[in-house]
Amino acid sequence: MSVVMLNRFSRTVSPISRVVHVSRRMGYGRARTGESRWLTRRSMSKRPTQADVARSAGVSATTVSLVLNGRTGTRISDDAARRVRVAAETLGYSPDPTALSLRTGRTKTLGFVSDGVTVTRYASAMIRGVLDAAESKGQSVMMAEVDDHPDRWERAIVDLSDRKVDAIVVGLMVARTIELPPMPSGVSTVIVNGLSGGLPSVLPDEFAAGRAAAEYVIRAGHRRIAFIGRSERMLDPVVSATVGRRYQGIDRAMADAGLHFTTTCDLPEWEPGPAREAAMSVLGSPSRPTAILAANDRVAFGVYQAAADLGLTIAQDVSVMSFDDEALADYLRPGLTTMRLPYRDMGMAGVREALNPGNDLLELPMPLVERGSVAPPRG
Amino acid sequence: MSVVMLNRFSRTVSPISRVVHVSRRMGYGRARTGESRWLTRRSMSKRPTQADVARSAGVSATTVSLVLNGRTGTRISDDAARRVRVAAETLGYSPDPTALSLRTGRTKTLGFVSDGVTVTRYASAMIRGVLDAAESKGQSVMMAEVDDHPDRWERAIVDLSDRKVDAIVVGLMVARTIELPPMPSGVSTVIVNGLSGGLPSVLPDEFAAGRAAAEYVIRAGHRRIAFIGRSERMLDPVVSATVGRRYQGIDRAMADAGLHFTTTCDLPEWEPGPAREAAMSVLGSPSRPTAILAANDRVAFGVYQAAADLGLTIAQDVSVMSFDDEALADYLRPGLTTMRLPYRDMGMAGVREALNPGNDLLELPMPLVERGSVAPPRG
DNA sequence: TTGTAAGCGTTATCAT
DNA sequence: ATGATAACGCTTACAA
């Protein structure tokens, strides 16, 4: 295997020449020198083809193909098979993917198109999930990103299908309902973190998460709970495909416990600024709640800021429970307890579903990440 | 920022058939109905080939190829050319990329391999840069991610070269010096945000940034300045390729102004926790500085926390200047003034250099992002 | 000015 | 049990 790889490289690696080279770039320190980890072979020869293997094994190309693809229905003699394998090994043969694609129409490549997962810190884990799952299935990933203009979606998808990707995964940075161009027939497509027409979807299980979050706070002993960030605007499926479910889950838990929120604030945006203002008034009131459910981590951050302004200590004076688990949640002190959006899992599931269709809708659990912002109420 | 995100979501909606489908998925709201924006491509038939165009235009495949590739050295008659173009247009012909690759050995695809840019919030913009630059050059991007194990690098790179990518961009999430396997010959390769042997590099201009940062604080009128996070550990090129330059730039500015830091703290990690402790002692001392230079934004966050603990107000009581500009910088109040790591630019430059080699080292400017954490000293 | 034919490296269909 | 041979869809000598 490593033979296969090595004889394709012609650049000889001399540690010395590297250091010289680097040191020319004024100002950058030189790395410690040492053994090169990489072996190189000097061969300038062309990449060996199936025909080369055939020649070397004294058989026809057909036989090589048959043997190497394991299509051996007692057809090939053990002897021939062995010779082929030896020849392939010593020549360092590996089949040419482009020729394979032309012939078979498949590419062992899947397309991932997103509307900006990349640029969204908390969503970029989705890509990692896609990449990991793809690798485990022996697939490469061709990536495209669109800025949500219809024709960019279309261009990206057409390009992908032109390149004959085996499947397409569409990833959204924020769960919402979108309209996509018609997918190329014959290419299995899945939408991750979103809903679009009849496409199979992978979504976070927000109902369960909402319920679990509220239950967690209730079980901690809280009865006076406020909800900051119940925004009507978010209920539009085009704005969010899942927030409604989140609310429903929360409501269910509250109802089951026979509770009502002491206060519910709508916020124009789920951002620290507005959240802080809202929290100031909620926490400043004489009938201050002992716990706050924040619509997401940025809202929770606003609550932290308000608490700080008011001289209140999170957890001790007021508990905060949140949703999303973005990086921020881990920076805060105390750490923010929150329901994690399983971006990586969703990416992985998307790939699995695209490669192996079956489910119309997959709802992935949102783990509760306990960090310390929720404690039993005082007194 | 979030406004930007939200504006992008203003979209219209779903055709009826889709709504029916969606409504079957219990619990998810239905989108408003409206006009479908997509035209369906009528042909259920096979994709037209060059031969089809030739037949339809009454010429040979050669002529089609020549015309469509603009290889018209007075060779083709205007008439034939016109007929070909019309035929291609009406048939909706576009060349098959896989056939093209097999024939030409090129793929209009470039490989992007990284050690985890994806999963690193602040670095993921690099991908966006790569994607955008690639698109503008008519290239698709095949992406791979490795967890920094030598053989994963090798596997990824071999896979990419097997697939005959036209160029390779290696992207590092944190600027450092690494050893890469020998690159496949004939494939132009660039390393972004890192240094590796003789490979062309794209790096942030940390010297200029360090200098600009310190000068900015000095120009604001500060004389008593502390530096938190001057970590020796980071000077190892394997740990960081650029931090040394950052320090040098800072030192230059301080020297030029005839100043010395009142305090300099080494930190084991550039994280809020340790930074907060260090800042507590720096800010708690009677000879408290009026400004703090933080090694990066997370360190700065630690400084904010310490200031809050001590009842000090950022900007008013102590100015903070930082590096990196991760999302956090924008969440803080007051916003953190910081030198932005130009991940997106680096990604774009990496692609340009890979496709169009020339420079051995490109140092990209780090813009100063003014947000309000630096003010003139009081009194 | 244009067409024929030979590949590119595979796999699949036949003969043998 | 194996080998010719014909695609796959394109580009490019080389002919005409």
Side-chain angles (χ1 to χ4, degrees), chain B residues 37 41 48 76 93 95 130 167 198 216 253 272 281 367:
Chain B
R37 151 192 310 115
R41 240 199 247 159
I76 271 83
Y93 168 79
V130 166
Y216 181 79
S281 93

Side-chain angles (χ1 to χ4, degrees), chain A residues 216-217 220-222 290-291 314-320 372-378:
Chain A
Y216 181 79
V217 171
H222 295 276
T290 61
I314 299 295
Q316 199 176 315
D317 299 320
V318 56
S319 288
V320 180
S373 60
V374 176
R378 272 211 287 204

Side-chain angles (χ1 to χ4, degrees), chain B residues 217 222 224-227 262 289-293 317-320 374:
Chain B
V217 171
H222 295 276
R224 306 187 41 73
I225 308 172
F227 184 12
T262 58
T290 62
I292 287 180
L293 215 52
D317 300 320
V318 55
S319 289
V320 179
V374 176

Side-chain angles (χ1 to χ4, degrees), chain B residues 179-191:
Chain B
E179 197 179 348
L180 290 173
M183 290 299 153
S185 57
V187 182
S188 143
T189 307
V190 167
I191 179 166

Side-chain angles (χ1 to χ4, degrees), chain A residues 28 135 152 179 269 363, chain B residues 6 13 28 135 152 363:
Chain A
Y28 292 98
E135 182 178 348
R152 296 226 28 206
E179 196 180 350
E269 306 289 340
E363 288 186 295
Chain B
L6 294 165
V13 244
Y28 293 97
E135 182 178 347
R152 295 221 37 199
E363 289 186 294

Side-chain angles (χ1 to χ4, degrees), chain A residues 50 62 65 69 93 96 100 103:
Chain A
Q50 197 179 71
T62 306
S65 174
N69 291 313
Y93 168 79
D96 180 334
L100 225 63
R103 180 63 235 229

Side-chain angles (χ1 to χ4, degrees), chain A residues 225-232 247 251 254 260-267 278 282 293:
Chain A
I225 308 173
F227 184 11
I228 298 190
R230 182 180 206 108
S231 305
E232 286 306 310
Y247 296 163
D251 291 345
M254 292 292 283
H260 292 283
F261 287 117
T262 58
T263 325
T264 301
C265 314
D266 194 316
L267 293 178
V282 169
L293 214 52

Side-chain angles (χ1 to χ4, degrees), chain B residues 12-34:
Chain B
T12 31
V13 244
S14 269
I16 307 259
S17 65
R18 298 195 169 180
V19 171
V20 170
H21 201 112
V22 166
S23 69
R24 258 198 270 124
R25 303 204 269 227
M26 285 303 295
Y28 293 97
R30 58 174 63 188
R32 292 162 297 170
T33 50

